[in-house]
Amino acid sequence: MKVSVVGAAGYTGGELLRLVHAHPKLELVQALSRRHAGRPVAEVHPNLHHLALTFRAPQELEPVDTAFLALPAGAAAEVEAGVGERAETIVDLSPDFRGGGLSADGTAYRTGLPELFADELVGATRISVPGCMATAAILALAPVQRAGLVAGDVVVDARAGSSGSGAEPGPASHHAERGNAFRVYKPAGHRHETEIAALAGVRARMTVTAVPTVRGAQVLCHVTPPQPVTRRQVLQVLQRAYRDHPFVRIVARGRGVHRMPDPQFLGGTNFVDIGCAVDEDGGRIVLVAALDNLVKGAAGGGVQSLNVACGMPQDAGLEFPGLHPA
């Protein structure tokens, strides 16, 4: 299956190049970038020197089976019609078509979250991948909501590494401003609240803090159950929900240093780890989920969704298990 990446110079674009190149059933045809056309890919992504590719301008997109759009908000919608004329399938990683948006040809975008929407993804030719922090929160919350363990609003406290802001520098991403900071940059009203409500079925009150790491996102979801519960009950709900899903790991350790999911061990992987704690009186559930924002929260989620759409194993090209120490 021939694949090109539009917006290949960004951090997510680089991860797509890496994953597509290593995929047993995909052939990487082009890396497209407006700013870097004509430059070797390795100048921007030094880990990909082995690809020996040169960036091409977006208007030079050749006919392919699938095009990934790794573009900033608003940019994907501008080019989608032209890309659709050259690619049978489009996988969009921006927010432009989330929530069932329509392609220029009238095709509805399906949600690229195979753990919850695999049936809808089979045969899909337009796929929109949820945001990274939204993915973590949705996968943590959906099973407990479906089990009737959520009463009222949920508080989602999210922490995000600097790569989530993209490759373009700005005042807030300057190292002197970000390097040692724990900056609460969205204390209320984050746009992911809408995604979480639509896909997990709960009303989320979200706060996001920028933390001094490059990769990774972690969310703590504070849930009030309708009646007291135990940690064992919550773990059973999570384990039943994801027992057949290769990329969700339930962290149920009761001792040791790493008892809760930590994104530092998920760099480069397509896993999301989910753990939980419950207050002694059973009146509060704390769900903790972690992932690599550039992989499971973006590029890897897109490749996994394409695998499902095309009838391939979900884990094709996504088997990397992570590193320790990281």
Side-chain angles (χ1 to χ4, degrees), residues 17 88-89 287:
L17 296 179
E88 179 180 346
T89 299
L287 299 164

Side-chain angles (χ1 to χ4, degrees), residues 22 93 120 132 159 162 175 223 276 297 307:
L93 304 177
E120 297 176 19
C132 58
R159 299 87 188 267
S162 59
H175 179 72
V223 177
C276 74
N307 286 343

Side-chain angles (χ1 to χ4, degrees), residues 74-94:
E78 293 179 359
V79 305
E80 195 262 358
V83 173
E85 295 174 356
R86 298 176 177 87
E88 179 180 346
T89 299
I90 297 176
V91 182
D92 180 38
L93 304 177
S94 81

Side-chain angles (χ1 to χ4, degrees), residues 286-308:
V286 181
L287 299 164
V288 182
L291 48 71
D292 182 334
N293 57 296
L294 297 178
V295 187
K296 179 57 177 171
V303 171
Q304 182 188 357
S305 298
L306 180 65
N307 286 343
V308 174

Side-chain angles (χ1 to χ4, degrees), residues 5-14 16 32 67-72 76 91-94:
V5 178
V6 182
Y11 293 141
T12 297
L16 283 168
L32 300 130
F68 285 92
L69 303 184
L71 297 167
V91 182
D92 180 38
L93 304 177
S94 81

